[in-house]
Amino acid sequence: MSESHVQRLSTILLDAITDKDPLVQEQVCGALCALGESRPEEVLLACAEHLRQHEKLAHPYRTMILRAVETVVSSRIGELDKDVARTIILLASGEMTRAKELVCDWQQAASNVLVALGKRFVGKVMEEMLSKFQPGLLPHYFVVQTLANLSVSNVFGTVPFLTSILSTMLPMLSLAKHDSMRVVFCFALQRFSESTLEYLANLDQAPDPTVRKDAFATDTLSAYDILFHQWLQSREAKLRLAVVEALGPMSHLLPSEKLEEQLPKLLPGVLALYKKHAETVHTSKSLAQILEAAVSVGSRTLEVQLDSVLAALHAQVCVPVESSSPLVMSNQKEVLRCFTVLACCSPDRLLAFLLPKLDSSSERTRVGTLQVLRHLINAAAAQMEVKKPFILSSMKLPLLDTNSKVKRAVVQVISAMAHHGYLEQPGGEAMMEYVVQQCALPPESEPQKPCADSENLPADGVRAISISTLYLVSTTVDRMSDVLWPYLLEFLVPVRFTRALTPLCRSLVHLAQKRQEQDAGAFLIQYNGNVTLPSPYAITTRLLVVSSKPYLGDGRGAASLRLLSVLHRNIHPELGQRWATTIPLLLEHLDEYTEETLPQKEWEEKLLMFLRDTLAAVADNTWICQLSLEMCRQLPNYNETPQEKNFLYKCIGTTLGAASHKEVVRKHLQELLETARYQEETEREGLACCFGICAISHLDDTLAQLEDFVKSDVFRKSTGIFNIFKDRSENEADKVRSALVLCYGHVAARAPRELVQPRVESDIFRNMSQCFSTKDPTLRLSLVRSVCMASQAICGSAQGSAFHFSRKAELVVQMTEFIKAEPPDSLRTPIRKKAMLACTYLASLEPALEEQVQAELVHSCLHSVLAVLPEPTVEDGRQESLYLDTMQALKDLLTSLLQRDMTSQGLQRMVEHLSPWIKSPRGHERVRALGLSACLLQYFLEHLHVSAVVPFHNLGLLIGLFSPRCADLWPATRQEAVSCVYCLLYLQLGYEGFSRDYRDDVAEQLLALKDGLVHPDPAALFHSCHSIAQVIAKRLPPDQLISLLLTLFEGLGDPDKDCSRAATVMINCLLKERGHLLLEKVPELVSVLRAKLQETREEHVLQAAQHSVYLLASQHHAAVVSSLLGSPLPFDSHTGTLWRALAVEPGLTAQVLGLLLEKLSRDVPFKEGRAFLLSTTPDRVATLLPLAATCALYEVTSVPASGPAVLELYPQLFAALLLRVSCTVGVQLPRNLQAKERRSSGSSLGFRSLEPCSSAVDALQAVLLRGGNEDVVQRMELEGGWELLRTSAGHEEGVARLASAMAKFAGPRLPLVTKALFSTQSSVYDIQRVTSTAFLAELLSSNVVRDLMLLESLLDNLAARQKDSCASVRRLVLRGLANVATGSPDKVRAHGPQLLTAMIGGLDDGDAAHSLVALEAMVGLARLLDLVEAWDLRSVLLHVAIRIRPFFDSEKMEFRAASIRLFGHLNKACRGDCEDVFLEQVVGGLAPLLLHLRDPQAPVTAACRFALRMCGPNLECEELAAVFQKHLQEGRSLHFGEFLNTTCKHLMHHFPDLLGRLVSTSLFYFKSSWEDVRAAAPMLTGFLVLHVEAEHRPQVDLEQLLAALQLLLKDPAPAVRAKAAETLGRLVKFA
């Protein structure tokens, strides 16, 4: 490219800079910069020339050009010669100063160009700037700013000029009247001062090391006078800020004496700005610099100003900090920097000012002061070292503050103190106690983010930082070890520190382990008279109790156990080895659970086992007694945590059980009885557990102490053991009685069985019985629980079976009374559950209960449990659990009573008790009664012992009671009824002498039927009842039949209609051999049957009618079918019922189906007519007889029993119904039926839809189901095939999916089905030919065709249809022929010429540009090419490639995708060995394929990916083929620009001669109708040009290309314009 071409290219881009789209503008600038990278000088000159020639160009566009110039200059400054630099300097200077008013973006861009040039040409830039910086004249705003920025960007080049610049600038300061000029002068002085200070700090690298600070003092002082004394007083806030920013660095350049002189004025002046400006960071930064300058010269004046400075700084630090505000945060840092500076020069004055502020009542004052104090402790450690006691003593009042923000700040100060040795001083322990107190704060359940103006942070924030501080101080600050150990132990036991236990334990564990590492043999805790440390017993008790709730407080259980493990030698010397084994197991158990999943009882038992193991290991009675004493002392500590107190009671019982001093044991038990808080339920329970555990080792002492408690002096006037509380309120007395009764119960339950049994009646039940008259529910519950525990203890003893319990009947009666007293309709307490459990245990003891007592017990229990109303669902499930437990207790009781009388009479009596509940009108009572019955029968069966064959007299009565319940409204009742019948049949077998493990095949059928009764439809339900009746009939003894029938007849009057109908079903089944129906007049009888069904809905009438019509049809099938077909359409539910009755017997069903098929084909499927005279297309109206026959076919085949008959006529049914579906698509009902259809759809009667196509589809589905092809129906349902069949648009696809499903799931049926469909080739209806062709075509895609040897016949049949007059048939023929590639790929070679000929013929089918036949031919060819013989293919390869090429750019997506994919298959078929003529086609298609990768349609882009991958090998370029394979894999995202760049690189490297052809092809796509393709075309051109070698560039007509790109720059799509601009940037390669 010549120089004129570079100029033209730049001009085109510069003209395009005025594009309105920001993205295009950005791309144009990028292109300019790209040109500048290659030819910086030419582009820079072109930009300069453009700006000169376009004086009126708007400043936003001038700004963009100047920014591009800056970019080029910055990247290529080393390549610019002085003349070009001079030109650009003059250009930028002129642009910057052209407008006198400020136009910031434009002038800033020009200024940036000058600053960029100044990095190398600082002299020339200075020369130009100084020419516009003349003495006595006020310079342009941006001239001053440019000088300022230049001084920072090139310090060493600019500082030598500063003295002359300052001397010129100082007189100008007085000329500046406008605030904007004054601001920029201040900015310049700030930058000059900063660059001077940097220069002086790096003199060793400076070009002139002789420069001294003094050289700038005079000028700086002069400027200072104006800025401080005049400008700082301005009302303009921006100016004041600019002044104060400049004064900071300037203060370092002032002479020291002048600085000392000015400080009394300077500091107040700067401090005054705090009150004038909201954003104070600049003031604080400047103040810090001034203070540093004053301290560096040893200013004495600063001492005088110190108080005012401190007051102002303190006010700033007390401003609340918002973390979201960077300016406020920065200000805080600068203020703290000021405090650091002052701490270095005046620490005493600073602390004297700060520490009294801690006594302030203001939250902000305290928080701010504490922040400063923390900063000073960290940043000025050396100055604060001697002030430690003073600082510590000043913290007393902050420690008492309750404000969360103050607390947080105090903890942060304490953390800093810990790191710097403060806490080792006297008073340090108080600081640590404060941190522990904050760790014990209650955590917030939902911590909320505090607002900026909130007075308090969440307590959890204070707690979290305190926990973190405690742990960090303990683990990372070595010097704190002696301070914290063993001091932190003092916080373990006090209750107020409970929430801090977890962090305390973790810190203590770390400290203890550290001390052990230092001296493994030394005891960790040295008491040495330190009475504040907790004893080993106190530590053990505390840590063990809090471990009972292990997940509270962030996992205090694990932390406590780890601390116990570490302290084992201090607890007792013998525990080390034992705890080393047991504690890790406990910790491992905790790791396996969470707070929600941990089984609490199991965990507490593990802890108690750990305690027992510990006591056994110690084996020191004195130590054990001390431990029990400490446990009793700590009991009051847990009054607010009842669960933990309950556990402590258990620990006390365990410890007392291990003690050998009986006096100690009794003393402690007495204290527990006297001090217990009996009003608390958990405490009563805990006390009872304690006594029970203690009784394991001290039964006599425990019972004696319980006696002594009420015989003491306090109660000596009492006449009975439980009459001692007359002086107390009755309620309180009942609570004490309740606790004592529980104590007796737990003692009986836990003490050794052989010791308890002699004491039960004499001591335990004697005392309990005096409380039975109570009405207090708590005492009642305690009584039944204790009776239950004591009874269980008796039964569990070795002598339990022989024990004669004289109080048995009395206790049973009392338990019965308690059960009766419970509300019958609700379940709120476990009293009845516990009472029934007690009775269960009592029932097994001698003597036996009287019959009346037992009957009353059973009646009361059943009424108390079965009548309970079902509870609504509760979230915690506790109510449901209580009910289930109560029901289980009832089952156990009834089973226990039945066990006492294991005879059929005993069973009958139990069932008689349950009989009223079995027949109850309330469902929940029936299901419960049936469940109990099943349980009793199962128990009776399992424990049946028959020594001789005897009759089971009650069998018929019992089966008659249970069997109708198989149809109960409640599913659970139905299942339980079957279970009862099942057990009764096996009981009969047992009475007949069969062994218990014998399994009867007939009876076992009931189990399968039982599972089907959960959610059955009505038909299946009564079918199951019939099956159950069949089973009963086979196994029922003849002598029991009459009693069974009588009972069932009674069941017909059951209020539950389902049960009544079940009785009818069972009666019919049992009477089947005795009953018959003979009917003669078929039409009349059919009519009567239909009328009868319309009159009543009784099930037995329905069954009779069905049976009747079956008998009629078995003798007169033709007459019945004709009569039923004459029923009005649509068929109502009663007519459908009669049709379905004809499907019972296969022979009859086959005859009926044959007649219906004949009726289906007797008349035409529809008649054509015009609904309106002006209608252009005729309406199709269905004929009645085929429609009625179709509906009848559905009704008959919908019955499962019709299966064998359907199989016999399967091919005829399938073909007839498929064609019926095809010819009813879009067909309407006659007008009279349309009205009836609308009425029936709105009624509640069971009419089926009469729509012709839908009824045909339904019938076809039914045939498939009955033919055993459920998989076909399900597959079609999943794929939406049935819906497609019903619509004109989707019918073909629906047929294809049906054929596919048939091939997959019904292969063996296809030979006969295809034979039936072959005959439809001559059908007069096009749609029938289309349907049959679509079905046959789809079959060819399955290999089942080959396996069934149908391939040849199918191919011949389809070939015969190639010339069909219907285009859809011809298209489907091609699809079928192509499907051979899928179904029988190995047969393609044999039929290759025939298949290729058909496909090529399809390409030329019709003259339409978008022939669907041609589209099908392309798709088919793509499938076949890989499989045909290479020789067969070579003869047609070129013809096909030429024929499909016009479709590449078709407006229709399907044609583009199919043709491009076929092109890929053509390339694939060549396998890298193509002839030159075809290679020419490959090369010609390369550019379109690359560009269509940006096609808006995804199928087209996917086809392009495939085609390009296939083209790769034929191009004989491994690199290019590798690129295609790597980037164009299916499913991989494509970065088009990267891919196109790489592709063009390889193309131009290996095929440079193609440049002209590829560029001309891409020029064609500059006019594409698709925006993305239009944008991709210049991209292709640009990358080709980018990578081609210079000698091949003449192939490109540059003028044509530039003209085309220039046109694209005017394209309406911004993306296209952007890509055109990008390509123009790449044309620099032509330079």
Side-chain angles (χ1 to χ4, degrees), residues 1506-1519:
F1506 169 75
L1508 285 169
R1509 291 202 310 272
M1510 297 303 105
C1511 288
N1514 291 328
L1515 291 172
E1516 297 180 357
C1517 174
E1518 293 182 3
E1519 293 89 343

Side-chain angles (χ1 to χ4, degrees), residues 141-154:
Y141 176 96
F142 274 97
V143 170
V144 181
Q145 191 196 77
T146 302
L147 289 172
N149 289 328
L150 192 60
S151 70
V152 176
S153 68
N154 191 344

Side-chain angles (χ1 to χ4, degrees), residues 1181-1195:
V1181 180
T1183 51
L1184 292 180
L1185 183 60
L1187 180 60
T1190 304
C1191 295
L1193 277 171
Y1194 170 79
E1195 296 294 349

Side-chain angles (χ1 to χ4, degrees), residues 238-365:
K238 288 185 179 180
L239 177 56
R240 291 198 301 269
L241 284 178
V243 170
V244 78
E245 284 189 85
L247 289 177
M250 286 173 65
S251 64
H252 286 273
L253 297 177
L254 289 174
S256 56
E257 66 279 2
K258 289 297 183 180
L259 178 61
E260 184 77 5
E261 177 186 325
Q262 289 298 317
L263 277 177
K265 300 176 183 178
L266 176 58
L267 288 173
V270 173
L271 294 176
L273 294 179
Y274 277 129
K275 298 178 182 179
K276 297 180 180 180
H277 295 279
E279 293 181 2
T280 54
V281 60
H282 305 298
T283 305
S284 299
K285 182 178 180 181
S286 180
L287 180 59
Q289 292 172 321
I290 293 170
L291 291 175
E292 286 173 347
V295 171
S296 67
V297 299
S299 172
R300 295 182 179 179
T301 310
L302 183 58
E303 291 289 331
V304 180
Q305 303 290 327
L306 198 55
D307 289 339
S308 59
V309 172
L310 288 171
L313 290 173
H314 189 267
Q316 284 298 305
V317 87
C318 291
V319 174
V321 177
E322 296 179 48
S323 58
S324 59
S325 172
L327 288 176
V328 176
M329 291 294 292
S330 299
N331 183 59
Q332 290 280 319
K333 292 178 182 178
E334 294 296 337
V335 170
L336 292 176
R337 175 183 166 196
C338 293
F339 277 110
T340 305
V341 174
L342 295 176
C344 295
C345 66
S346 302
D348 294 332
R349 290 278 301 278
L350 178 58
L351 290 179
F353 171 82
L354 279 177
L355 298 183
K357 300 288 185 184
L358 294 175
D359 298 339
S360 170
S361 60
S362 167
E363 169 218 305
R364 292 184 178 180
T365 301

